[in-house]
Amino acid sequence: MSETPSSAARAPSSGFNFFHYASPQTFFPLAGKLLWPCWVLALVLAVAGLYIGFFVAPTDATQGDSYRIIFIHVPAAWMSMVVYLAMAFWCVVGLIFNTRLSFMMSSALAPTGAMWAFVALWTGALWGKPTWGTYWVWDARLTSELILFFLYCGYMALQAAIDDPRRADRAGALIAIVGAVNVPIIYFSVKWWNTLHQGASVSVTSAPTMATTMLTGMLVMALAAWAYTIGAALVRVRAIMIERERNTDWVRQLAGNGDSKA
């Protein structure tokens, strides 16, 4: 019997459908499959980046070995800004398309982004002591990075304070979207104001101002930070999915399969 047009239209497509994974039920198993590759990649890249940074890269002529903290500080600072922009992006998508998964992704990213902001501030203080003679100055970039850390904390605190997940998502989205204006302030602060913080060593519009070995180590560490961030977000978003969708059939089925395997 020949296939009717209506049945042909219902036939699943063989290609990758992005919108197919827009619901928690379909994204949950995909996130599980991506976890281990992210963890392994993060570990391998971190070991390689730290080895290059601390054992291969030459000693800086001006700052000596104290500069080596850039292999942690700079990737952490980059990721603190990137993760916040990703949070704001998912919040915008969630508000426009009313997708639960988008808000879950934003919530999953927040703790890791806050961690990167804290690491950037902490390593910056350690670097500032031998460079500036003090752990902290109210420099434009340092202050705006501190504000970013407070924005992360405010986002998480506001969500935790509201019992209704939908109301919490929308309230947190306001902080994430409005606070995103702070990210370009952090990036351009050394150009807009007279600050102690040095300018960017890596730029898309000009050649890098550091040795190739130093740049390689820093970029490898940045890739490691990316892989770790994705892995941590996937772990956290899976936990959020189970918590928020615990009354749905697919979570009950998942729990039943887990009990039968145990």
Side-chain angles (χ1 to χ4, degrees):
M1 184 174 65
S2 61
E3 185 178 41
T4 62
S6 60
S7 62
R10 290 193 298 267
S13 60
S14 58
F16 180 85
N17 186 355
F18 176 80
F19 294 99
H20 173 71
Y21 296 100
S23 69
Q25 181 178 358
T26 53
F27 185 73
F28 187 90
L30 176 63
K33 293 177 182 178
L34 296 175
L35 279 177
W36 277 109
C38 289
W39 292 134
V40 172
L41 187 62
L43 178 61
V44 172
L45 289 172
V47 171
L50 290 174
Y51 177 78
I52 295 172
F54 287 90
F55 297 101
V56 178
T59 301
D60 185 74
T62 304
Q63 301 184 49
D65 287 322
S66 65
Y67 90 95
R68 297 185 190 276
I69 204 165
I70 68 168
F71 298 108
I72 299 175
H73 173 73
V74 174
W78 284 347
M79 291 309 302
S80 69
M81 294 184 285
V82 170
V83 171
Y84 198 91
L85 290 178
M87 282 174 49
F89 167 79
W90 283 119
C91 287
V92 170
V93 172
L95 291 174
I96 294 175
F97 297 102
N98 195 29
T99 51
R100 304 189 312 277
L101 182 58
S102 299
F103 291 117
M104 293 180 189
M105 286 298 302
S106 180
S107 299
L109 286 166
T112 304
M115 179 204 71
W116 287 127
F118 176 80
V119 171
L121 291 168
W122 177 59
T123 54
L126 294 180
W127 192 8
K129 181 62 175 177
T131 305
W132 300 333
T134 181
Y135 290 108
W136 180 265
V137 292
W138 291 102
D139 177 90
R141 174 159 288 184
L142 274 66
T143 304
S144 53
E145 181 71 19
L146 180 63
I147 292 173
L148 182 66
F149 176 70
F150 288 151
L151 286 169
Y152 276 119
C153 294
Y155 173 89
M156 293 185 290
L158 181 60
Q159 283 203 318
I162 301 176
D163 294 332
D164 182 9
R166 290 186 176 274
R167 288 180 55 234
D169 288 337
R170 282 160 175 73
L174 293 177
I175 293 181
I177 295 171
V178 174
V181 72
N182 186 53
V183 174
I185 292 176
I186 296 173
Y187 185 80
F188 292 107
S189 58
V190 294
K191 297 181 179 179
W192 292 345
W193 294 287
N194 182 22
T195 69
L196 288 174
H197 200 287
Q198 69 183 56
S201 300
V202 180
S203 173
V204 295
T205 59
S206 60
T209 59
M210 59 172 57
T212 302
T213 309
M214 299 177 183
L215 178 62
T216 301
M218 195 168 66
L219 293 180
V220 171
M221 286 297 295
L223 292 175
W226 267 98
Y228 172 82
T229 299
I230 294 172
L234 291 177
V235 170
R236 198 170 289 112
V237 78
R238 278 164 59 92
I240 295 174
M241 288 179 194
I242 293 176
E243 179 184 359
R244 294 194 181 186
E245 305 281 309
R246 60 184 178 274
N247 295 322
T248 60
D249 292 336
W250 73 270
V251 173
R252 293 194 186 100
Q253 183 180 2
L254 185 68
N257 293 338
D259 292 340
S260 63
K261 292 178 181 179

